[in-house]
Amino acid sequence: MGTKGIEIVDLNVGDLLGILNGAFSDEWLAYYQYWIGAKVVKGPMKEAVIAELLQHAGDELRHADMLAMRIIQLGGTPVTKPEEWYKHSGCGYDAPDDPFVKKVLEQNIKGEQCAILTYRKLVDLTAGKDPVTHNIALQILQDEVEHEEDLQELVEDLQTLGL
Ligand code: FE
Ligand code: FE
Ligand code: MG
């Protein structure tokens, strides 16, 4: 915790930490949803879908890392208990119990759309108020926008196969 680094944050730091822990919990759940999705997914274009899901899983884990670092910088503690992820999460978790490629992709698209809204809000909230968190939120938002597009392109490719 750096005192000057916190002093320059022109927002209620406690409220901000709550939002950051919500996003941190979302990222862990998103990571697992992709990771387990890549294990169980079945159907046409499976190899391409698995490669994309694993790439996204890695990105979500990196996002969790970025958020944890920022939470600690601001004097907070990242959620330490996995069972509390649900309590803090805004976007939740969709279990890939139906492993069909299109279904798994659609569940993950829904998650990305929620993430896009979450980071869009965080970008707006921190604009001119907390440049460090703003920069992190912007970087993550760029990734989430790319994730949504990657998944929607895979769904379009499946549609050309008549699925
Ligand atoms: Fe993410
Ligand atoms: Fe994502
Ligand atoms: Mg991708």
Side-chain angles (χ1 to χ4, degrees), residues 51-53 55-56 59 143 146-147 150-151:
E52 199 67 56
L53 298 179
Q55 186 200 94
H56 290 195
D59 288 341
D143 288 343
E146 191 182 311
H147 287 171
D150 290 342
L151 300 177

Side-chain angles (χ1 to χ4, degrees), residues 130-150:
D130 176 356
V132 177
T133 304
H134 184 73
N135 181 45
I136 291 168
L138 211 51
Q139 288 180 55
I140 299 178
L141 178 61
Q142 285 178 338
D143 288 343
E144 309 305 12
V145 165
E146 191 182 311
H147 287 171
E148 183 204 30
E149 195 204 6
D150 290 342

Side-chain angles (χ1 to χ4, degrees), residues 70-141:
R70 186 62 184 143
I71 289 165
I72 290 166
Q73 271 181 354
L74 288 169
T77 306
V79 175
T80 55
K81 298 177 187 69
E83 70 260 33
E84 289 185 3
W85 288 340
Y86 276 101
K87 195 179 83 195
H88 295 275
S89 172
C91 293
Y93 177 80
D94 247 346
D97 289 330
D98 176 351
F100 186 63
V101 274
K102 200 170 172 206
K103 181 72 203 224
V104 171
L105 288 169
E106 279 164 358
Q107 285 177 321
N108 285 309
I109 288 168
K110 194 174 124 229
E112 292 298 343
Q113 290 176 340
C114 182
I116 287 169
L117 292 177
T118 299
Y119 291 108
R120 169 67 210 235
K121 276 190 227 154
L122 189 56
V123 163
D124 288 349
L125 176 78
T126 53
K129 305 274 183 190
D130 176 356
V132 177
T133 304
H134 184 73
N135 181 45
I136 291 168
L138 211 51
Q139 288 180 55
I140 299 178
L141 178 61

